[in-house]
Amino acid sequence: MSNDALVMKVSTMAVLPILTAPDPILKSKAKRVEAVDERIRRLMADMLETMYKAPGIGLAAPQIGVLDRVVVMDIGKTEETREPIRMANPEIIWASDEDNTYEEGCLSVPEHYSNVVRPAEVKVRYLDEAGQHKELHADGLLATVVQHEMDHLDGILFIDHISSLKRNMILRKLLKAKKEAAES
Ligand code: NI
């Protein structure tokens, strides 16, 4: 293989399978990223590609089976207005007293949606793809998305914010769908 071909192969982004609940990895705590190196940048690129393909507006590393504290998001409406955000080790450093309710969904909880109450605005400190310290002040949909994705890093799904009755009903349906898929 020529050098050019090798470089091409390494830089090609990959669409990865997304884990769905119930899955023990989705309930696990992800570990802090030591340094934003080539492996992490590659992970971020693969996660964005996987998210756009799904399609979704946010994805956390545990959803593709990687227990690193990495999330990606893009709430841009079209391909032309893409605004990808890549975060390693995100931390909420401020949250508003005011709450907001959004109907949330998740690529790991396919075809189920539920209202979730979260702080309406948050400030998040994180490392970007260059390893630089950054801060994001998010409101509206982005505030919900970043909190939802960060929850994934601690093994929390949006269904953990709703009643256990509704959560268990959704989990039973997902488990049934998985069994049917495995049998077919
Ligand atoms: Ni999710």
Side-chain angles (χ1 to χ4, degrees):
M1 193 187 286
S2 73
N3 265 351
D4 281 355
L6 189 67
V7 168
M8 278 262 292
K9 191 163 197 295
V10 168
S11 63
T12 303
M13 292 184 283
V15 173
L16 302 165
I18 296 172
L19 302 179
T20 57
D23 188 301
I25 292 177
L26 293 173
K27 302 305 294 171
S28 304
K29 200 171 159 70
K31 63 183 187 313
R32 284 179 67 80
V33 169
E34 294 287 332
V36 180
D37 54 14
E38 275 313 306
R39 184 183 72 86
I40 296 298
R41 276 188 280 278
R42 173 66 193 249
L43 174 64
M44 288 168 164
D46 287 348
M47 285 170 60
L48 277 171
E49 199 64 9
T50 303
M51 182 192 83
Y52 287 131
K53 182 83 194 309
I57 55 175
L59 193 73
Q63 293 181 273
I64 53 160
V66 178
L67 288 173
D68 285 317
R69 298 187 81 80
V70 172
V71 302
V72 297
M73 291 158 283
D74 191 337
I75 59 164
K77 293 271 185 296
T78 66
E79 254 179 62
E80 289 71 44
T81 58
R82 275 185 179 174
E83 285 177 33
I85 300 171
R86 305 163 180 86
M87 294 182 171
N89 300 340
E91 283 176 73
I92 289 176
I93 55 171
W94 174 83
S96 63
D97 292 331
E98 191 195 334
D99 287 332
N100 216 341
T101 305
Y102 265 99
E103 187 176 53
E104 295 189 23
C106 179
L107 295 172
S108 295
V109 187
E111 289 167 45
H112 293 277
Y113 303 89
S114 211
N115 281 339
V116 177
V117 181
R118 300 183 189 270
E121 285 179 59
V122 288
K123 267 187 203 164
V124 180
R125 183 178 290 156
Y126 64 99
L127 296 174
D128 71 5
E129 63 274 23
Q132 300 291 315
H133 287 275
K134 288 277 172 73
E135 272 182 27
L136 172 75
H137 187 160
D139 61 8
L141 177 61
L142 187 57
T144 287
V145 175
V146 74
Q147 291 175 81
H148 173 121
E149 300 314 327
M150 287 177 65
D151 266 358
H152 277 295
L153 304 179
D154 292 319
I156 297 165
L157 302 174
F158 81 88
I159 52 174
D160 293 314
H161 291 286
I162 65 179
S163 75
S164 59
L165 190 74
K166 187 159 188 205
R167 174 168 62 251
N168 289 332
M169 186 193 74
I170 290 173
L171 285 171
R172 270 198 306 275
K173 283 183 181 169
L174 289 171
L175 192 59
K176 188 163 170 257
K178 268 192 186 188
K179 279 182 181 163
E180 282 169 1
E183 281 161 12
S184 66

